[in-house]
Amino acid sequence: LMQLLEICLRQLKFPEDLDQLSDDVIEEFHRHRFYVGETIEDCCRLLGGQVMLETMGKALEEATKQGSWQPVEASLFAIQCLGKFIPSDEGTLIPHVFALVLQLPPEVEPLRCTI
């Protein structure tokens, strides 16, 4: 399942040439992202919210080191998919995730997803 999550994170990344794509291609990409998000939810049902949050938190941390906004945004989108599986009293990783978000460089476009 961890390999599947890695594949999902790659599939969630916006293409580098996003500004040059047609509206139809972008719409298809958003539809594809929705299905990838459902796959992440299914993995969460099997692995549990805490394990998934730890995995996605590590992915976000690694993404912040890559220098482009697409991996960061993909990680944030994946974390957003976990929302209903994370215990309401979780106080270790969520603050860490928000601290990472506050450290993002200005060129990152996290507003494409919602946490």
Side-chain angles (χ1 to χ4, degrees):
L1 285 176
M2 300 311 262
Q3 290 176 340
L4 177 60
L5 290 173
E6 290 175 19
I7 292 168
C8 287
L9 282 172
R10 284 195 303 267
Q11 294 292 312
L12 288 174
K13 288 183 198 173
F14 276 93
E16 295 284 334
D17 60 348
L18 181 65
D19 296 337
Q20 300 169 1
L21 299 177
S22 70
D23 290 342
D24 291 339
V25 172
I26 292 172
E27 183 179 326
E28 181 64 30
F29 177 77
H30 283 288
R31 200 172 12 259
H32 176 72
R33 260 171 79 112
F34 174 79
Y35 294 122
V36 172
E38 287 186 337
T39 302
I40 290 172
E41 286 183 15
D42 292 340
C43 289
C44 194
R45 285 182 185 92
L46 296 171
L47 293 173
Q50 193 66 28
V51 171
M52 288 291 291
L53 185 58
E54 289 173 12
T55 302
M56 292 300 128
K58 288 176 188 173
L60 177 61
E61 197 165 348
E62 288 299 314
T64 60
K65 299 173 186 174
Q66 292 185 18
S68 67
W69 64 268
Q70 287 91 342
V72 174
E73 194 277 337
S75 297
L76 290 173
F77 184 89
I79 291 170
Q80 176 264 330
C81 293
L82 306 177
K84 60 185 168 188
F85 301 100
I86 298 171
S88 60
D89 62 347
E90 201 292 317
T92 304
L93 292 168
I94 293 293
H96 179 68
V97 167
F98 279 104
L100 285 173
V101 169
L102 293 174
Q103 295 173 15
L104 294 177
E107 64 272 6
V108 173
E109 300 183 26
L111 298 179
R112 293 189 186 270
C113 66
T114 306
I115 294 184

